[in-house]
Amino acid sequence: MENPRADPILAELRAVREVHSAKFNYDSAAIFKEIQAMEAASNRTFVHLQLKPREPCCACGRPLGGGLSGCSVCPCFGGCLTTQGSSR
């Protein structure tokens, strides 16, 4: 029995993607080269966004690891332990 929630648009998109991938023997590098060639041939302007630099940890200058923990060396709460001479 066919899935009643199946989306015909997604099914068509997946079929097109499958044919395109098979054309390049499922080689992602070859598919990427083809996309780049298509971009160059289109004469359109494409925006390539750069990653934003990570903010440095308080005084030690290491990049923040995300979350509330600060860098991997210090907790960044009440000052950086690496610049206060403390060791962990």
Side-chain angles (χ1 to χ4, degrees), residues 55-74:
E55 297 214 9
C57 176
C58 53
C60 71
R62 289 184 174 83
L64 289 173
L68 298 175
S69 62
C71 73
S72 60
V73 178
C74 65

Side-chain angles (χ1 to χ4, degrees), residues 1 18 22 32 39 43 48 55 61 66 70 74 77 81 83 86:
M1 183 165 131
E18 175 64 25
F32 184 67
E39 284 182 355
N43 293 321
H48 298 280
E55 297 214 9
C74 65
F77 294 113
L81 296 177
T83 59
S86 300

Side-chain angles (χ1 to χ4, degrees), residues 1-77:
M1 183 165 131
E2 191 175 326
N3 182 355
R5 294 177 51 158
D7 186 335
I9 295 172
L10 287 179
E12 181 180 351
L13 179 64
R14 289 179 181 125
V16 169
R17 185 177 59 193
E18 175 64 25
V19 169
H20 186 256
S21 296
K23 178 180 170 184
F24 294 97
N25 199 27
Y26 304 94
D27 180 5
S28 59
I31 294 169
F32 184 67
K33 275 186 164 180
E34 172 67 10
I35 292 170
Q36 286 181 317
M38 289 169 55
E39 284 182 355
S42 73
N43 293 321
R44 292 182 176 168
T45 301
F46 289 88
V47 177
H48 298 280
L49 301 175
Q50 298 292 323
L51 293 176
K52 292 180 181 179
R54 295 171 77 182
E55 297 214 9
C57 176
C58 53
C60 71
R62 289 184 174 83
L64 289 173
L68 298 175
S69 62
C71 73
S72 60
V73 178
C74 65
C76 289
F77 294 113

